[in-house]
Amino acid sequence: MTDGGVSTATRPRIADAVVDEFRAGLRGRLLRPGDDGYDEARRLWNGMFDRRPALIARCAGTADVVRAVNFGREHRLPVAVRGGGHSFPGHSVCDGGLVIDLSPMKGIRVDPVARTARAEAGVRWIDFDHETQAFGLATTGGTVSDTGIAGLTLGGGLGWLSSKHGLTVDNLISADVVLADGRFVTASATEQADLFWGLRGGSGNFGIVTSFEFQLHAVGPTVLGGMVAYPLRNAKEVLRFYREFDRAAPDELTTYAAFVTPPGGETIVAVFCCYSGPVDKAEEVVRPLKLFGPPAQDQLGPMPYVTVQRLFDEGFPTGSYYYTKGDFLADLTDAAIDVFAEYAATKPSPLSGVLVQTVRGAAGRVASDAMAFAHRKLPYAPVIVSQWLETADAEKNVTWARDFGRALQAFAGGGVYVNDLGYDDADRVRTAYGANYERLAALKKQYDPDNLFRLNPNITPPT
Ligand SMILES: Cc1cc2nc3c(=O)[nH]c(=O)nc-3n(C[C@H](O)[C@H](O)[C@H](O)COP(=O)(O)OP(=O)(O)OC[C@H]3O[C@@H](n4cnc5c(N)ncnc54)[C@H](O)[C@@H]3O)c2cc1C
């Protein structure tokens, strides 16, 4: 390569020879603008971010990650870390810096006897579920199957199994981590326990996790899943019913409420379910939902767990433009329900919607200071997702989600899910870490005092 080296805002140009030496020391590819695969590798799920990194290190394993961390630190490059590329605010790509791209790292080893799995940081939930379900096992994972296990786990991890088995972080047994100084450590309840505390909700602030070890549980392969949906005009009564139904649900049942518009159809209010207990008990548990009013659609029934894990896939394609707003609510009050109904009726794009995820059952019984993820007592986590296809439609779609988010703020319980923060939510980062912020800041000072890992919901190291 002789295209003039790598220029950075913070240091003199990095000579080609230095870049070549970096490349030669990697098992994976090092991509620069113009290289084959560069444009594909810089593309994120959210089409809003068209950034051009100077270097993309496509890591093949931990050795590459160590080398890339050392290179980024020594040359003072902005460092973005990419797992599955589903960051709402686009943190996993940068302009002009180094992307440490873990997506080629896809190894998964399931131990069906111990019921554990170790998965590398480039694994997506579709890969993970494929391997674990071969043994009738699973752990709580994201509800869109091409989301990465890495970013999702490091923020907390809300999914269809969370009422029964806790959040994804509640099932994390250990993590292999490359620290900002290039050291490699394993963090668990017994090794580097303080780091392990911080990893479980601290959003990549403390190092790069190269692999995750999870506890697995017997799940499916057949569970009861799907949705019962009602016309939008019934939104308020449906959500009031939903509130009581969800409160009374056993741990085996995780439910989400949502406003969505099926392709070519009318906007509906839907209650999505996953019942992961014995299938012969499922019908009885969901009967009240099936009997409540005449539904517009009833698509709730036995299906493979992996199908449930893909229910939302078509609604969130890679490359659309997205803008998001999230919150945690302590209650789904009648007044909050009115806000949902009002904004669902005025969304400017049929592709947009809102999903009310839940933190309940086992996920809600963990102490708020047991790990970095703090918000155990705020059971509703609505995420408003604006989606559009033409740049000209940006303003009205952003405005809708922003106004909707602002209206919900009146009912917010004082928290927001760190993985639901949008690109203009920098002032809400402290709220996302809640009462655990000070402890996290002390850990940041210990593990990343120069804030190498800052392209994330950033915890500023105290001076
Ligand atoms: C369509 C969609 C559906 C979603 N559904 C859910 C859901 O059901 N439940 C839920 O809890 N969340 C959900 N989320 C939010 C999701 O958890 C976050 O967007 C998460 O950050 C995605 O992880 P990723 O690895 O794909 O993203 P990336 O963009 O690759 O990473 C996001 C950030 O995580 C950090 N990071 C990534 N990998 C590492 C690593 N190995 N080491 C250190 N830091 C790292 C970096 O700061 C990076 O910028 C969803 C998001 C999308 C876009």
Side-chain angles (χ1 to χ4, degrees):
M1 269 273 182
T2 51
D3 67 350
V6 169
S7 298
T8 80
T10 46
R11 253 194 94 154
R13 187 183 147 271
I14 304 170
D16 283 328
V18 175
V19 176
D20 287 345
E21 191 192 341
F22 176 36
R23 174 186 288 108
L26 296 175
R27 187 156 63 93
R29 291 182 71 201
L30 183 68
L31 301 176
R32 299 177 68 173
D35 286 349
D36 265 1
Y38 171 83
D39 283 324
E40 178 62 22
R42 71 187 178 87
R43 204 160 72 108
L44 296 188
W45 167 80
N46 189 346
M48 291 278 268
F49 305 104
D50 181 24
R51 296 184 182 140
R52 302 186 66 80
L55 298 167
I56 303 175
R58 304 259 299 154
C59 297
T62 299
D64 285 358
V65 178
V66 172
R67 201 170 176 88
V69 165
N70 287 336
F71 188 87
R73 186 188 64 251
E74 284 159 14
H75 294 281
R76 290 186 216 159
L77 290 169
V79 170
V81 181
R82 179 190 178 115
H86 274 51
S87 163
F88 284 139
H91 286 313
S92 38
V93 69
C94 51
D95 268 324
L98 168 65
V99 174
I100 301 182
D101 181 0
L102 310 162
S103 60
M105 294 171 58
K106 295 219 186 287
I108 305 172
R109 181 179 187 277
V110 177
D111 180 338
V113 177
R115 292 191 170 180
T116 60
R118 182 165 279 286
E120 288 189 301
V123 166
R124 302 163 306 155
W125 288 105
I126 191 171
D127 315 316
F128 188 88
D129 293 336
H130 179 80
E131 294 297 330
T132 57
Q133 276 290 280
F135 302 98
L137 299 170
T139 203
T140 306
T143 49
V144 173
S145 73
D146 62 354
T147 311
I149 64 163
L152 184 137
T153 301
L154 293 169
L158 282 55
W160 291 124
L161 303 178
S162 58
S163 299
K164 175 69 177 161
H165 298 298
L167 303 182
T168 312
V169 272
D170 300 334
N171 292 287
L172 188 65
I173 299 171
S174 72
D176 286 348
V177 191
V178 177
L179 300 173
D181 59 9
R183 273 183 306 139
F184 172 82
V185 296
T186 296
S188 69
T190 53
E191 297 171 85
Q192 311 277 342
D194 57 344
L195 176 62
F196 189 55
W197 182 92
L199 289 176
R200 289 173 291 160
S203 312
N205 267 281
F206 307 110
I208 300 186
V209 175
T210 54
S211 74
F212 300 82
E213 183 190 8
F214 293 106
Q215 186 66 58
L216 303 176
H217 311 274
V219 173
T222 300
V223 297
L224 183 118
M227 67 160 185
V228 179
Y230 299 88
L232 186 61
R233 64 176 177 279
N234 300 127
K236 292 182 186 178
E237 57 196 283
V238 172
L239 282 192
R240 286 186 199 131
F241 163 81
Y242 166 73
R243 179 178 59 199
E244 305 312 319
F245 175 71
D246 178 65
R247 271 187 197 145
D251 285 359
E252 287 77 10
L253 181 66
T254 298
T255 71
Y256 299 156
F259 288 92
V260 288
T261 312
E266 300 284 315
T267 299
I268 50 175
V269 52
V271 177
F272 286 89
C273 295
C274 176
Y275 180 84
S276 58
V279 179
D280 57 355
K281 296 255 166 55
E283 286 296 335
E284 186 188 328
V285 171
V286 298
R287 189 170 301 127
L289 178 60
K290 291 203 170 230
L291 294 180
F292 171 77
Q297 294 178 44
D298 180 350
Q299 296 172 1
L300 192 56
M303 60 179 75
Y305 172 70
V306 290
T307 303
V308 178
Q309 282 290 86
R310 304 199 63 174
L311 279 176
F312 296 154
D313 281 14
E314 280 181 15
F316 300 97
T318 291
S320 292
Y321 300 113
Y322 294 95
Y323 177 86
T324 59
K325 276 284 167 211
D327 252 310
F328 269 122
L329 309 184
D331 198 0
L332 209 50
T333 60
D334 287 356
I337 285 172
D338 290 349
V339 171
F340 281 105
E342 178 192 336
Y343 280 89
T346 57
K347 62 193 179 79
S349 164
L351 306 174
S352 301
V354 57
L355 180 69
V356 184
Q357 293 190 281
T358 48
V359 177
R360 218 180 38 75
R365 289 193 288 269
V366 176
S368 297
D369 61 355
M371 61 189 78
F373 184 92
H375 303 296
R376 302 289 183 163
K377 302 297 167 213
L378 299 172
Y380 303 101
V383 56
I384 302 159
V385 181
S386 231
Q387 181 186 168
W388 65 100
L389 301 175
E390 304 295 334
T391 45
D393 293 334
E395 193 182 335
K396 64 182 177 194
N397 284 288
V398 168
T399 302
W400 171 77
R402 222 174 241 158
D403 290 350
F404 190 174
R406 204 172 291 129
L408 274 188
Q409 275 285 301
F411 312 99
V416 52
Y417 179 30
V418 74
N419 275 349
D420 285 347
L421 291 171
Y423 66 79
D424 56 355
D425 280 331
D427 60 337
R428 303 178 76 204
V429 168
R430 263 180 184 260
T431 308
Y433 297 117
N436 290 334
Y437 185 86
E438 297 304 332
R439 183 169 170 189
L440 284 165
L443 271 183
K444 181 74 175 177
K445 186 173 179 177
Q446 184 184 345
Y447 285 99
D448 185 17
D450 297 324
N451 209 2
L452 179 69
F453 304 116
R454 71 171 66 115
L455 299 180
N456 47 38
N458 196 229
I459 299 163
T460 314
T463 46

